[in-house]
Amino acid sequence: MIYTTFMESAYVQSLPFLIDGLKITVMITVIGLFFGMIIGSLAGLGKLSKNKIIRGFWSVYVEVVRGTPILAQALFLYYGVSEDLIGLNISSFNAGVIAIAVNAGAYIAEIVRGAVYSIDKGQHEAGRSMGLTENQTMRYIIWPQAFKRMIPPLGNQFIISLKDTSVFSVIVVHDVVFMAKEYYNTTFEIFETLVMVCLLYLCITVPTALYLNRLERKLDV
Amino acid sequence: MITVKDLHKSFGDLEVLKGIDAKVDESEVVCVVGPSGSGKSTFLRCINLLEDITAGEITIDGDQLTDPNVNINEVRSQVGMVFQHFNLFPHKTVLENITLGPLKVKNLSENEAKDVALSLLEKVGLSDKADDYPDSLSGGQKQRVAIARSLAMNPKVMLFDEPTSALDPELVGDVLEVMKDLAEEGMTMVVVTHEMGFAKEVGDRVLFMDEGIIVEEGSPQQIFDDPQNSRTQSFLSKIL
């Protein structure tokens, strides 16, 4: 009896819908972070540049993104820029990917900058004094060491960005939160559905955090 | 080999080098001594432009370093530098530390670079450490690897910035021994050091620096046994 009730409740019945949403959530996070990593690396190194204009440009980017909420950024990108300003209809999925890339890029920029900055100055000097160019020194000496230090905070950023995608339901991304709303709007099992949403997020974030802890100890950073 | 003319270097308002004139001949070993803060490390670091110079001229083997047409990477590849804190690359093995420059700057093949590295490791007595990471080495071993790394570029000049200052006393000897061998082979060397014994024994000439100028220079005998300047005398009386 209890078993049947449970099996017929939203705890179980909502799952197929929510998991469809979760797939979108994870895909947006992973693809967005891939591009966010590229933007963040450029921005982080740009902020360390000796060139004032490059440094200024990336500083403004980082401050603007970090100083505004991601909800506003998503609305701005989807409705403001793509629909209103340039009249280009990009899919809400793509808008979500761009929003994560742009948003995480700013935080990753600080991770990159901090990690590169934390590498002992002597490493740079040793590279340059043997005749390596600035770029070679970065590529062969500084970056590999800095990247190791970036891994734990990047993992953290993954968790943050994953949760951030939840606001994209406002731009009609069919993520796990959007699917949950669709579901409980017809069944009215709001509590049960949202419990499952939280559990699904935790299924990803908790193992990730535990893995990161272990990795951090192993990398000794 | 090296000519320095009226070299000035300031950090902001602080003038660290106040007009240095010096010459280093081929195969000569010049030791730079002096109290801390005298500018001797800065002087050494200016010689391969690790510090931008404020004014003056430095010429290495005919190349004037401040000439915009001179390729500074090219010059640096011919000037070896050994640091107080070794500055080995911790993410690379001993062998990779040594082959990086030959591979990327001199474009040697993997095999050529490896041969060079192995023969240099033998020279500094660390053949068995080729595949180890720097973290597993003692300070003295690290510094010998650092010397091998510099030598792998086949430099015309070697600069040493207090190479034994960060070492435990019992490890200093091995490093000095390697440097002594180098000197005997005719390497041109500029050594900033607190090892007066080394300066006496191996140095051809000693420069005594204080407050950003070369106060006195001469053979080790002149400087250590018969210093003329009162600042040299007072410095030596404190440390000998």
Side-chain angles (χ1 to χ4, degrees):
Chain A
M1 179 63 194
I2 294 175
Y3 177 76
T4 326
T5 314
F6 177 73
M7 289 308 284
E8 284 170 1
S9 72
Y11 292 118
V12 176
Q13 294 299 314
S14 68
L15 266 181
F17 297 91
L18 298 184
I19 286 175
D20 276 349
L22 193 66
K23 284 181 197 158
I24 301 289
T25 296
V26 170
M27 268 161 67
I28 289 185
T29 309
V30 170
I31 303 171
L33 281 181
F34 172 78
F35 291 108
M37 187 66 207
I38 296 171
I39 299 174
S41 302
L42 288 174
L45 295 178
K47 280 191 78 175
L48 290 167
S49 165
K50 289 194 184 93
N51 185 317
K52 261 188 191 164
I53 297 169
I54 295 176
R55 213 169 55 222
F57 172 80
W58 289 114
S59 299
V60 168
Y61 158 67
V62 168
E63 292 315 318
V64 166
V65 171
R66 292 201 309 174
T68 53
I70 188 163
L71 177 57
Q73 292 164 10
L75 289 171
F76 180 76
L77 281 171
Y78 187 61
Y79 294 115
V81 177
S82 99
E83 278 192 9
D84 191 32
L85 192 67
I86 43 182
L88 184 79
N89 272 323
I90 56 170
S91 71
S92 51
F93 180 90
N94 287 342
V97 167
I98 296 171
I100 285 294
V102 170
N103 179 273
Y107 293 94
I108 292 173
E110 289 300 291
I111 293 172
V112 167
R113 192 186 63 86
V116 167
Y117 194 73
S118 75
I119 301 299
D120 181 45
K121 218 173 85 217
Q123 294 289 310
H124 182 259
E125 291 182 349
R128 294 308 306 273
S129 74
M130 65 170 61
L132 294 176
T133 64
E134 191 68 44
N135 286 341
Q136 286 176 320
T137 305
M138 179 54 75
R139 178 166 161 202
Y140 299 117
I141 299 171
I142 309 294
W143 187 264
Q145 296 183 60
F147 189 74
K148 204 174 114 175
R149 295 186 188 183
M150 289 175 212
I151 292 171
L154 283 177
N156 226 8
Q157 183 61 44
F158 170 77
I159 293 176
I160 294 171
S161 291
L162 182 89
K163 293 184 296 177
D164 279 350
T165 57
S166 63
V167 306
F168 296 161
S169 55
V170 299
I171 56 169
V172 217
V173 171
H174 291 199
D175 77 318
V176 62
V177 170
F178 181 89
M179 296 304 274
K181 280 196 266 183
E182 292 283 293
Y183 185 80
Y184 66 60
N185 278 342
T186 53
T187 67
F188 303 107
E189 292 166 293
I190 302 173
F191 177 81
E192 295 86 338
T193 313
L194 289 177
V195 165
M196 294 317 290
V197 167
C198 292
L199 284 177
L200 285 176
Y201 275 112
L202 288 170
C203 281
I204 298 179
T205 53
V206 170
T208 308
L210 290 176
Y211 176 70
L212 281 174
N213 275 339
R214 264 184 50 194
L215 193 68
E216 206 163 330
R217 277 199 301 274
K218 211 176 101 191
L219 287 172
D220 192 25
V221 286
Chain B
M1 179 65 82
I2 305 176
T3 315
V4 178
K5 272 191 204 149
D6 198 29
L7 172 64
H8 288 259
K9 169 68 187 173
S10 302
F11 294 102
D13 290 336
L14 182 70
E15 192 173 32
V16 180
L17 299 178
K18 301 169 183 166
I20 303 271
D21 291 280
K23 259 188 84 167
V24 181
D25 293 326
E26 195 162 343
S27 295
E28 196 180 22
V29 177
V30 173
C31 293
V32 185
V33 302
S36 57
S38 57
K40 51 194 193 307
S41 282
T42 306
F43 167 51
L44 194 75
R45 291 161 57 82
C46 285
I47 297 178
N48 68 356
L49 289 198
L50 277 183
E51 304 288 353
D52 299 327
I53 67 178
T54 308
E57 278 178 21
I58 300 174
T59 313
I60 298 179
D61 203 27
D63 289 325
Q64 198 192 305
L65 299 197
T66 46
D67 181 341
N69 295 324
V70 164
N71 178 347
I72 185 62
N73 295 322
E74 175 83 27
V75 175
R76 279 179 177 146
S77 73
Q78 297 167 9
V79 180
M81 177 95 179
V82 174
F83 300 88
Q84 181 177 358
H85 296 288
F86 332 123
N87 299 354
L88 293 180
F89 309 132
H91 61 301
K92 292 186 175 293
T93 63
V94 164
L95 190 76
E96 289 166 346
N97 263 275
I98 302 175
T99 55
L100 182 66
L103 285 173
K104 302 301 173 193
V105 180
K106 300 180 82 178
N107 295 316
L108 295 192
S109 72
E110 291 270 352
N111 282 334
E112 288 169 325
K114 198 174 165 190
D115 288 346
V116 169
L118 290 175
S119 72
L120 286 168
L121 276 176
E122 196 178 329
K123 185 186 176 111
V124 299
L126 293 170
S127 296
D128 54 330
K129 301 291 185 190
D131 296 321
D132 290 9
Y133 282 87
D135 279 349
S136 67
L137 304 181
S138 74
Q141 291 170 333
K142 282 182 191 166
Q143 196 58 298
R144 283 185 281 154
V145 171
I147 292 172
R149 180 175 71 177
S150 294
L151 290 174
M153 296 302 293
N154 201 11
K156 295 174 182 161
V157 185
M158 286 283 281
L159 309 177
F160 294 84
D161 189 3
E162 303 193 25
T164 57
S165 297
L167 300 179
D168 291 336
E170 75 271 22
L171 302 175
V172 169
D174 289 341
V175 172
L176 291 182
E177 203 57 40
V178 168
M179 291 169 62
K180 204 173 134 186
D181 290 346
L182 268 183
E184 278 164 8
E185 286 166 20
M187 177 62 77
T188 309
M189 293 162 62
V190 182
V191 187
V192 170
T193 186
H194 295 295
E195 295 291 332
M196 299 304 153
F198 177 84
K200 251 182 194 171
E201 190 188 349
V202 184
D204 295 310
R205 205 144 46 85
V206 173
L207 309 182
F208 173 74
M209 280 183 70
D210 193 18
E211 293 182 359
I213 53 166
I214 295 174
V215 175
E216 190 168 353
E217 65 172 288
S219 70
Q221 287 71 30
Q222 282 171 317
I223 299 290
F224 291 115
D225 301 337
D226 187 21
Q228 301 299 308
N229 189 289
S230 62
R231 283 197 264 177
T232 320
Q233 289 163 359
S234 119
F235 174 73
L236 291 172
S237 71
K238 277 181 213 154
I239 59 156
L240 289 181

